[in-house]
């Protein structure tokens, strides 16, 4: 196979690329971070790169037009004539045909995701699935030559009344030496009173477990003592699958389009990411990864399937059927996870094709089924999941909001990384803009980071503020009677400048365009329509409480979100954030095994509503496009 040398600047990373391989695929192989919110499907336009020459010239790069494939029609949707003249291409569309040097502009470089998935401080009942049992066994003799395994089983039966528990193979392998190292005194780790999963010589008092929230964008881990319930360490990292697509549909498409290697790549990527996270939190706690004896996992249905290596493509086709609904108990070694080889991995049950174990985790953490108030819990994301109800009845649904609320399909959209604008305020009188930028308070040699783009909470703030300031009307259009130096025309459409060139790390200003506003309207209308249809199904006209769940929800300004029309009117004092409730649910189920039974029960009791089957969805959706809504009143929104 013919190969060519590719150099990526400014990283200086270089390597061989097979002829016909896309620049994006080469970047993934070489570990060069290029934004690709659509996973290389050619629909987001975020992976812009610049061809600057060949990689073989000693006197510097010389332009070579045929080093990359010809400019395609799809690229013209995202690349202006001026950019094309400068050599700008889409990394997902341009294929390698010769030695080439590629420049990755600032706006196209991935930045480390900012972790916003800390654990709550709420107390949890301690009743783990794994417990330690100290035993003293009599040594064998010629008269009593009973095998070690049977001797251990008899001791457990005599001391605890357990009828001959199974012994996992790694525990059986460790048993002979453990018994003889400390005078036949051992400590066994007993799982669910029916299986010995580990054996330790002498007396051992401490064991630990790990709760995992495998999100589409971020994986969070919470290392806990199974002896005291104390949180020992927590950490998170960007899901490595992000390079294959920002949302679950992009990853499902990747598996479909790469039938041989797509699923193994995504499966291995998430497992390697989890193992890296296990190493990090274990080191922070001063433990070895092999000391983790129990894991619990939550995640949306696609993440669940990809972690297990199950083909997720049926999830993308009606009726969106998952491979399994019930919770699963598997061995860490079978999943390639770097915990104790006998460790059990409990995956919480799934509600439906697009309402997964993460939503069940939210149920366990927030317990709407134990409340009298009618609460709506919204996990804002690419697939907005929501729960509505109380102890009498609970409904759930998934809203195809698209990735706009997380920064995709927004011209200057980006993830919540350093340099992302996360908060916007616009003065209605002067149109002056005040920004809050992630990392702006952090010291560095170059000073605080300048704006690189707008993340999800920032775009919600921005559109809501444009409406509050009277710059756009309820239809989302820029008002013609408003004049401001910040209003300009870009590519034939109007836009409002949020940050001037000198305030950004880019070559020009950062703005919110008419198309950006429209994309936010489409996303928020889907979420609002889902809420209204659940309310209609439940027979209620108003909400008692709204909880914004998820790491993203914690940073959404409730007033701006309601002013935008992200959810129906509610007393703002009753609109709260729950943080990473899905991760809290995983941690609760790690420490209290009875909660796993409750999770199984509730996952089947919640009534899943498939919005595509609701006859009036289109009408409700169209009404929700207006800001905040075409007809619904919002008495709790304060005056501008």
């Amino acid at each position: 196979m013919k190969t060519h040398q590719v150099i990526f600047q400014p990283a200086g990373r270089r390597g061989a690329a097979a002829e016909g391989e896309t620049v994006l695929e080469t970047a993934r192989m070489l570990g060069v971070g290029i934004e690709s919110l659509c996973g290389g499907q050619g629909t987001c336009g975020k992976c812009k790169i610049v061809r600057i020459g060949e990689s073989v010239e000693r006197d510097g790069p010389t332009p070579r037009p045929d080093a990359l494939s010809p400019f395609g029609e799809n690229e013209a949707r995202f690349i202006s004539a001026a950019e094309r003249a400068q050599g700008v291409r889409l990394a997902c569309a341009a294929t390698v045909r010769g030695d080439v040097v590629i420049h990755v502009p600032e706006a196209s470089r991935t930045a480390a995701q900012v972790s916003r998935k800390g654990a709550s401080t709420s107390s949890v009942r301690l009743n783990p699935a794994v417990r330690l049992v100290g035993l003293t066994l009599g040594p064998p003799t010629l008269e009593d030559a009973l095998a070690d395994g049977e001797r251990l089983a008899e001791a457990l039966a005599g001391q605890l009344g357990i009828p001959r528990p199974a012994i996992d193979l790694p525990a059986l392998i460790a048993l002979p030496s453990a018994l003889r190292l400390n005078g036949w005194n051992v400590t066994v780790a007993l799982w669910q009173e029916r299986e010995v999963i580990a054996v330790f010589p002498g007396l051992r008092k401490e064991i630990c477990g790990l709760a995992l929230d495998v999100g589409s964008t971020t994986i969070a881990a919470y290392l806990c003592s199974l002896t005291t319930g104390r949180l020992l360490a927590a950490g998170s990292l960007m899901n490595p699958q992000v390079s294959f697509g920002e949302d679950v549909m992009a990853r499902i498409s990747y598996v479909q389009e790469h039938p041989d290697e797509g699923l193994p790549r995504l499966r291995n990527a998430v497992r390697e990411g989890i193992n890296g996270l296990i190493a990090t939190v274990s080191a922070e706690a001063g433990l070895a990864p092999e000391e983790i004896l129990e894991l619990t996992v939550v995640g949306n249905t696609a993440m669940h399937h990809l972690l297990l290596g199950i083909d997720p493509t049926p999830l993308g086709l009606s009726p969106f059927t998952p491979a399994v609904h019930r919770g699963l108990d598997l061995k860490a070694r079978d999943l390639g996870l770097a915990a104790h080889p006998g460790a059990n991995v409990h995956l919480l049950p799934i509600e439906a094709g697009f309402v997964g174990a993460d939503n069940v985790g939210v149920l366990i953490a927030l317990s709407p089924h134990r409340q009298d108030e009618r609460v709506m819990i919204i996990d804002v994301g690419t697939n907005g999941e929501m729960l509505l109800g109380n102890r009498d009845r609970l409904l759930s649904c998934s809203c195809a909001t698209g990735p706009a609320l997380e920064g995709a399909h927004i011209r200057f959209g980006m993830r919540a990384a350093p340099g992302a604008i996360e908060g916007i305020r616009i003065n209605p009188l002067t149109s002056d803009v005040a920004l809050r930028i992630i990392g702006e308070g952090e010291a560095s040699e170059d000073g605080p980071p300048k704006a690189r783009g707008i993340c999800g909470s920032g775009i919600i703030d921005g559109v809501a503020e444009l409406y509050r300031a009277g710059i756009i009307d309820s239809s989302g259009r820029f008002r013609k009677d408003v004049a401001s130096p910040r209003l300009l025309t870009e590519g034939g459409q109007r836009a409002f400048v949020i940050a001037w060139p000198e305030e950004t790390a880019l070559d020009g200003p950062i703005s919110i365009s008419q198309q950006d506003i429209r994309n936010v309207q489409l996303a928020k209308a889907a979420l609002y329509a889902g809420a209204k249809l659940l309310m209609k199904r439940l027979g209620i006209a108003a909400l008692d409480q709204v909880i914004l769940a998820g790491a993203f929800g914690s940073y959404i300004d409730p007033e701006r979100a309601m002013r935008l029309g992200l959810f129906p009117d509610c007393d703002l004092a009753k609109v709260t954030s729950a943080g990473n409730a899905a991760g809290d649910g995983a941690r609760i189920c790690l420490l209290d095994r009875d909660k796993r039974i409750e999770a199984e029960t509730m996952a089947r009791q919640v009534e899943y509503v498939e919005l595509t089957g609701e006859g009036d969805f289109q009408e409700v959706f169209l009404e929700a496009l207006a800001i905040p809504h075409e007809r619904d009143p919002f008495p709790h929104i304060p005056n501008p």
Side-chain angles (χ1 to χ4, degrees):
M1 180 183 295
K2 190 175 183 181
T3 62
H4 305 283
Q5 187 182 49
V6 179
I7 298 177
F8 288 95
Q9 298 292 7
R13 200 72 54 83
R14 68 181 64 207
E19 180 152 358
E21 188 173 75
T22 68
V23 173
L24 182 60
E25 289 170 332
T26 304
R28 286 171 178 163
M29 180 185 66
L30 297 178
V32 176
I34 297 179
E35 286 285 5
S36 176
L37 304 187
C38 67
Q41 302 301 306
T43 59
C44 71
K46 297 293 183 184
C47 62
K48 291 181 179 179
I49 49 93
V50 183
R51 186 199 73 241
I52 58 175
E54 298 178 33
S55 59
V56 294
E57 295 292 334
R58 293 184 177 179
D59 299 327
T62 301
R64 177 180 169 180
D66 62 349
L68 297 177
S69 58
F71 192 87
E73 291 183 9
N74 185 56
E75 294 178 273
R77 296 169 51 207
F78 304 101
I79 297 173
S80 67
E83 288 177 319
R84 181 177 177 181
Q86 295 169 2
V88 176
R89 300 292 303 274
L90 292 185
C92 66
T95 61
V96 178
R97 295 190 175 182
D99 295 341
V100 66
V101 178
I102 300 293
H103 173 70
V104 183
E106 175 74 25
S108 299
R109 299 173 204 158
T110 57
Q113 181 83 13
V114 174
S115 170
R116 294 177 165 178
K117 289 199 171 188
S120 73
T121 56
S122 59
S123 60
V124 180
R125 174 175 175 256
L126 188 61
N127 180 32
V130 181
R131 66 180 178 120
L132 294 176
V133 179
L135 295 170
T136 299
L137 279 64
T141 65
L142 289 175
E143 292 75 25
D144 179 16
L146 189 64
D148 292 344
E150 281 67 24
R151 190 176 299 276
L152 179 68
E154 282 191 0
L156 285 169
Q159 182 169 323
L160 303 175
I162 300 171
R164 298 192 64 81
I167 303 179
D168 193 29
L169 180 59
L172 188 59
I173 292 171
L175 179 60
S177 61
L179 285 170
R180 290 162 177 81
L181 275 173
N182 208 288
W184 297 86
N185 295 302
V186 294
T187 302
V188 301
L190 192 62
W191 182 77
Q192 297 279 27
E193 274 71 52
R194 61 176 183 262
E195 184 183 27
V196 175
I197 62 172
V199 180
F200 307 101
L203 181 64
R204 188 183 182 96
K205 295 183 178 180
E206 181 81 24
I207 53 174
C208 62
L210 188 75
L212 287 166
D213 174 15
V214 184
S216 300
T217 303
T218 306
I219 303 173
Y222 308 99
L223 185 67
C224 302
S225 167
L226 297 182
T227 308
T228 65
R230 186 168 60 93
L231 180 67
L232 303 175
S236 67
L237 53 72
M238 186 183 297
N239 189 330
Q241 293 177 341
V242 164
S243 64
F244 299 95
E246 186 77 0
D247 57 71
V248 296
M249 290 309 300
R251 294 177 204 176
I252 291 172
S253 296
Y254 185 85
V255 172
Q256 289 175 315
E257 293 166 8
H258 301 80
D260 294 327
E261 70 277 8
L263 180 56
R265 283 180 179 174
L266 288 167
R267 179 200 63 206
N268 294 341
V270 70
R271 291 181 181 181
E272 289 170 8
I274 290 173
N275 284 338
L277 197 50
I278 287 174
T280 299
V281 296
S282 297
E284 183 181 335
L287 301 171
E290 294 75 20
E291 295 181 73
I292 297 172
L293 291 176
E294 180 82 350
L295 299 92
T296 51
V297 180
V298 298
N300 64 53
T301 311
M303 293 303 99
H304 172 284
H305 282 32
L306 290 171
L307 172 62
L308 296 181
I310 298 173
D311 182 5
T313 54
L315 300 175
L317 304 168
S318 181
F320 318 111
T321 309
V324 62
H325 275 117
R326 64 181 176 85
L328 297 173
D329 286 300
L330 306 169
K331 289 295 184 182
R333 61 180 180 265
D334 294 335
L335 296 180
L337 300 184
H340 188 282
N344 180 74
V345 181
H346 180 77
L347 294 98
L348 270 66
I350 287 168
E351 289 181 38
F354 283 100
V355 181
D358 50 353
N359 204 52
V360 177
V362 171
L363 264 173
I364 294 302
L366 301 181
S367 298
H369 53 290
R370 302 182 187 277
Q371 301 181 28
D372 293 319
E373 281 194 324
R374 295 164 300 192
V375 58
M376 174 161 282
I377 304 170
I378 306 173
D379 191 344
V380 184
T382 302
N383 298 300
E385 298 176 355
M386 58 180 67
L387 285 159
L388 173 63
N390 56 11
R391 66 175 73 250
D392 298 323
R393 188 183 181 192
L394 276 172
L395 306 177
S396 73
C397 73
S398 174
C399 308
T401 56
L405 297 181
E406 293 188 322
H409 296 175
I410 304 299
R411 183 182 177 192
F412 291 98
M414 64 178 292
R415 285 186 285 267
I421 298 170
E422 64 173 348
I424 298 172
R425 295 294 180 268
I426 300 175
N427 187 313
L429 300 177
T430 64
S431 295
D432 288 341
V433 178
L435 303 176
R436 188 173 69 253
I437 300 172
I438 295 177
E440 64 183 347
E442 298 175 4
S444 71
E445 294 180 0
D446 301 323
K450 291 187 174 183
R452 296 179 62 239
I454 311 171
C455 67
S457 59
I459 196 64
I460 290 173
D461 260 20
V463 177
E465 283 288 288
L466 287 171
Y467 176 68
R468 186 183 71 88
I471 296 168
I472 61 175
D473 59 25
S474 62
S475 73
R477 295 185 179 90
F478 283 103
R479 290 175 50 179
K480 295 181 180 179
D481 59 341
V482 174
S484 168
R486 291 182 178 268
L487 282 168
L488 45 81
T489 299
E490 297 176 334
Q493 62 173 313
R494 300 190 78 190
F496 183 85
V497 175
I498 295 298
W500 296 111
E502 60 270 20
E503 300 174 290
T504 78
L506 311 181
D507 294 330
I510 292 174
S511 61
I512 296 176
S513 71
Q514 188 69 74
Q515 186 60 52
D516 293 339
I517 295 168
R518 184 62 175 173
N519 287 336
V520 169
Q521 287 178 274
L522 292 169
K524 75 96 178 177
L527 208 60
Y528 194 98
K532 288 287 290 185
L533 289 170
L534 288 189
M535 292 169 68
K536 179 182 177 181
R537 180 74 71 95
L538 202 60
I540 63 174
L543 299 171
D544 296 326
Q545 185 183 4
V546 173
I547 300 176
L548 300 174
F552 178 29
S554 301
Y555 289 83
I556 295 175
D557 183 288
E559 179 190 326
R560 268 70 188 176
M562 198 160 76
R563 190 182 295 278
L564 177 64
L566 201 66
F567 50 84
D569 183 74
C570 184
D571 181 353
L572 280 169
K574 290 284 190 175
V575 181
T576 58
S577 297
N580 185 24
D584 288 339
R587 187 166 58 93
I588 291 169
C589 289
L590 175 70
L591 298 176
D592 184 358
R593 62 182 176 179
D594 289 345
K595 288 294 183 179
R596 303 180 191 185
I597 301 172
E598 183 178 338
E600 202 73 48
T601 301
M602 293 310 304
R604 302 284 70 82
Q605 287 186 4
V606 174
E607 301 172 42
Y608 174 69
V609 178
E610 179 52 63
L611 297 181
T612 57
E614 298 295 296
D616 52 350
F617 176 81
Q618 191 66 17
E619 178 184 351
V620 176
F621 173 80
L622 291 174
E623 289 179 348
L625 286 171
I627 303 174
H629 193 270
E630 184 178 309
R631 295 191 303 167
D632 289 353
F634 282 80
H636 289 100
I637 294 179
N639 292 325

